Amino acid sequence: MPKTSRLSPLACFSLMAAFASVASLAPVQAADPVPVIFDTDMANDCDDAGALAVLNALADNGEATILAVVTNRKDSGNASAAATDAINTWYGRPDVPIGTDKDGAKVPPGRPSAYTAALRDEFPNDAKPDDAMPDALAVYRQTLAAQPDGSVVICSVGALSNLEDLLRSGPDEFSPLSGKELIQTKVKQTVIMGGGFPRTARGETNLKLDAPAAVAVTNEWPGDILWQGYEVGYALITGPSLQATPKENPVRRAFELRDYHGTPSLEIGKPSHDQAAVLAAVRGPQPELWSVEKDGRVVIDSDGQSEWREDWKKRHSYLKIKGHPSQLAQVISGLMSQAPKKP
Ligand SMILES: [Ca+2]
Ligand SMILES: [Ca+2]
């Protein structure tokens, strides 16, 4: 018998599994970069900063284009735009348009941000105070109007106030279309981090921040919404990988300043709600990382409680983690600490 170099079926399976595992961690080179508008409450939690890092890393990899960033909650430090600009500037994108929500009464400011003022003061940026920045709705409408039809992906990781404003908007200097028509014409997909599925016992933060807006968007949005509940990000602890990045990295600083259970998130990590939503928005629900629940609808009540119902279909679906969460957390950690490719 000649010596055979054939592998046993078990060895073949192990090798295939190893390749599959490596493949899931590798950058996914899309044919064209996905054009994204990122809608964030950059102020309270630092997962918004981590999510903007992931989005910039994906843009560096040629997988995404950052069309604009809008903030959806009034930052009592008036510095959410500056923090956003500091992060984009770190990645070599100082000119990404930024808009802020001026309607502070609708979404009351939370406690002072642990990190936005520090990012404004300690890192290069040239944004104005939030109340002097362009309005989020104007940035939305101008950005959407300039894009090819059916192309834009919106990723929302905070209150749904801006999305409701867009939904309710009428024609303006940027477009003769109503907000609904603009969404129908320009938006390919909307990914929303909010709620909990299949149901929550109490309201989730992003929905509670502006429950009427959450109800309006859920019931009236004229396009596909891919929901990601709090249970997804809660299982994904990331942050310590930023320790390997330079002190000049504002995202590292945000994780240093924002604690999790009394310890800096830079040391012990924290849940990655917003990073996961960005990843799903850009790469789509990759089957090795996610399963998607379809053929139903999300219902949100006036307290911001959410539920998945299967009594009839809407253009809703929601994400569930497939396999062990550490797989997804590892992808997020890698992207969040990926060195900028700026010139
Ligand atoms: Ca700037
Ligand atoms: Ca957020």
Side-chain angles (χ1 to χ4, degrees):
M1 284 278 286
K3 273 190 180 172
T4 176
S5 61
R6 278 188 198 148
L7 295 167
S8 72
L10 183 62
C12 276
F13 180 78
S14 304
L15 263 180
M16 281 162 63
F19 280 130
S21 156
V22 168
S24 72
L25 303 179
V28 179
Q29 194 69 51
D32 292 306
V34 176
V36 176
I37 299 176
F38 183 53
D39 197 332
T40 164
D41 57 333
M42 182 77 69
N44 179 20
D45 205 332
C46 62
D47 63 337
D48 295 81
L52 189 54
V54 169
L55 184 56
N56 271 283
L58 291 167
D60 281 351
N61 294 347
E63 297 179 65
T65 304
I66 309 175
L67 297 178
V69 180
V70 288
T71 63
N72 54 51
R73 187 185 188 190
K74 199 166 172 62
D75 170 24
S76 53
N78 217 12
S80 65
T84 298
D85 196 38
I87 294 170
N88 286 338
T89 301
W90 165 248
Y91 283 93
R93 296 188 180 83
D95 298 325
V96 169
I98 298 171
T100 57
D101 182 15
K102 306 299 185 300
D103 198 344
K106 206 164 57 175
V107 187
R111 57 185 166 151
S113 170
Y115 66 89
T116 53
L119 265 55
R120 175 195 62 202
D121 297 340
E122 299 172 15
F123 299 87
N125 75 88
D126 64 359
K128 297 188 172 90
D130 289 351
D131 53 16
M133 289 296 288
D135 195 68
L137 176 60
V139 170
Y140 253 121
R141 290 189 54 89
Q142 184 170 19
T143 304
L144 287 173
Q147 291 304 309
D149 289 356
S151 65
V152 177
V153 171
I154 293 174
C155 182
S156 170
V157 297
L160 302 185
S161 315
N162 291 331
L163 294 183
E164 186 196 24
D165 289 345
L166 175 62
L167 189 66
R168 301 268 183 253
S169 65
D172 60 4
E173 70 265 44
F174 304 118
S175 170
L177 302 180
S178 71
K180 258 188 184 160
E181 290 164 337
L182 253 185
I183 296 162
Q184 276 171 327
T185 309
K186 302 294 184 179
V187 177
K188 179 182 180 188
Q189 169 77 285
T190 302
V191 176
I192 297 178
M193 193 278 120
F197 305 105
R199 68 190 53 79
T200 49
R202 54 197 175 91
E204 181 275 331
T205 304
N206 286 349
L207 304 186
K208 277 198 304 188
L209 281 170
D210 192 346
V215 171
V217 169
T218 306
N219 292 341
E220 299 174 44
W221 193 257
D224 295 331
I225 302 180
L226 179 60
W227 295 86
Q228 182 196 293
Y230 79 94
E231 69 283 352
V232 168
Y234 195 71
L236 307 170
I237 302 299
T238 66
S241 73
L242 288 164
Q243 290 174 27
T245 70
K247 292 237 160 74
E248 293 75 24
N249 176 3
V251 181
R252 175 197 165 114
R253 183 75 172 129
F255 274 70
E256 187 175 45
L257 291 169
R258 177 67 160 88
D259 73 331
Y260 186 55
H261 296 318
T263 305
S265 304
L266 186 63
E267 286 174 33
I268 60 164
K270 68 177 315 303
S272 310
H273 305 281
D274 298 355
Q275 299 95 318
V278 163
L279 190 68
V282 172
R283 291 187 175 171
Q286 297 168 271
E288 65 273 28
L289 294 172
W290 304 99
S291 60
V292 180
E293 204 67 38
K294 296 174 182 160
D295 299 332
R297 63 181 177 129
V298 169
V299 177
I300 290 170
D301 72 13
S302 56
D303 298 325
Q305 291 185 39
S306 57
E307 189 179 347
W308 178 253
R309 288 194 197 155
E310 294 178 343
D311 50 353
W312 77 73
K313 272 202 256 187
K314 282 181 79 167
R315 298 174 72 176
H316 293 173
S317 53
Y318 77 89
L319 286 163
K320 295 195 283 196
I321 296 175
K322 188 188 274 184
H324 197 278
S326 62
Q327 192 183 207
L328 194 46
Q330 200 179 338
V331 176
I332 290 169
S333 289
L335 288 166
M336 214 161 70
S337 53
Q338 179 182 297
K341 291 184 182 156
K342 62 188 167 187

